[in-house]
Amino acid sequence: MREIVVPLLRAAGIRVVDVARSAVAEDGHEEALLVRAFDSLAQHQELEERFYSSDAWLAGPRDEIVSRIEQDHSVVLEHPDWVALA
């Protein structure tokens, strides 16, 4: 994720705050965390739609990355200090 996806996200204007892997495998599953920051919920939606429909993602690492994901979960928080961290 750090070497392939993060550079693509950043090139698309998405600020990546952190990427991490859980030190403990819950129920035998490895978990990863991707924290991104956006100026607004509208920007979040716009940049995600643009990125996930782009040729860089669709013709790039999409299949390789998605094939490794058993399940995903998103949490969207509004916190002005997070934008400053990115």
Side-chain angles (χ1 to χ4, degrees), residues 1 5 29-32 34 52 57 61-74:
M1 181 155 328
V5 177
H29 298 284
E30 180 181 296
E31 299 202 15
L34 171 63
Y52 289 114
W57 174 247
R62 182 195 181 279
D63 291 339
E64 178 184 351
I65 301 296
V66 171
S67 69
R68 297 177 184 190
I69 299 172
E70 293 180 17
Q71 71 179 143
D72 69 296
H73 180 78
S74 294

Side-chain angles (χ1 to χ4, degrees), residues 44-60:
H44 169 254
Q45 183 176 2
E46 175 190 339
L47 291 177
E48 270 204 343
E49 286 178 9
R50 188 180 324 152
F51 175 75
Y52 289 114
S53 64
S54 72
D55 286 339
W57 174 247
L58 296 173

